Amino acid sequence: MSEQQSTFPRRDDDGRIRALGDLLGVGLAGVVIGLLVLVLFDGAFASFGAGDFGQANGWLAVILPAWLFLEEFRAWEFGAARLVAGLVALAVAVVSGLLLAGVTNGLPPLLSGGVAATTFTVVYAMIWFPGVRWLVSRTG
């Protein structure tokens, strides 16, 4: 057994995140950071007269969580379990995010996209984390 790591998120010897809470926490922190950066840029552009505040696409807040999920995907060995879990999680997360963006279409794009990015992050993590482990245990 390896030494306990003191870093967050906690990872196993193969570099995979060990707890769903860690995956969700880091993913949601990435959404918050992405939204803060978008607010800063959108505010700066609005102050220069380059558009109205709130018109930036909030979906851009998903960049850091997507990077995290890609690294998590790469940490698993190549195989059908990894591919199926990733594709199912991606498809359901994108559709869920788009549905919530549609429901919140009366809000400014920054807010509706932020809701969509948050939804994407939570749904992807909730499907990917148990899904890949279950499929790997089934396929060996």
Side-chain angles (χ1 to χ4, degrees):
M1 187 165 181
S2 71
E3 222 175 86
Q4 180 89 5
Q5 289 182 343
S6 62
T7 60
F8 184 80
R10 297 168 298 211
R11 296 182 183 269
D12 63 14
D13 293 335
D14 294 321
R16 301 178 297 225
I17 294 177
R18 290 192 291 158
L20 177 58
D22 288 3
L23 184 63
L24 280 169
V26 174
L28 290 173
V31 170
V32 169
I33 291 167
L35 285 173
L36 289 174
V37 169
L38 281 172
V39 166
L40 289 174
F41 275 107
D42 201 27
F45 285 123
S47 71
F48 295 135
D52 295 329
F53 181 75
Q55 298 304 307
N57 189 341
W59 267 103
L60 292 171
V62 83
I63 291 171
L64 291 176
W67 188 0
L68 170 71
F69 298 147
L70 179 62
E71 289 303 314
E72 179 70 5
F73 180 82
R74 292 175 56 192
W76 286 84
E77 290 182 22
F78 183 78
R82 173 180 91 153
L83 186 61
V84 169
L87 288 175
V88 169
L90 182 64
V92 174
V94 167
V95 169
S96 299
L98 288 173
L99 286 173
L100 259 86
V103 168
T104 60
N105 68 350
L107 297 173
L110 182 62
L111 290 177
S112 66
V115 168
T118 303
T119 302
F120 171 88
T121 301
V122 170
V123 170
Y124 186 93
M126 297 294 289
I127 293 173
W128 163 260
F129 191 86
V132 72
R133 284 160 176 75
W134 181 77
L135 286 170
V136 165
S137 73
R138 292 297 213 174
T139 60

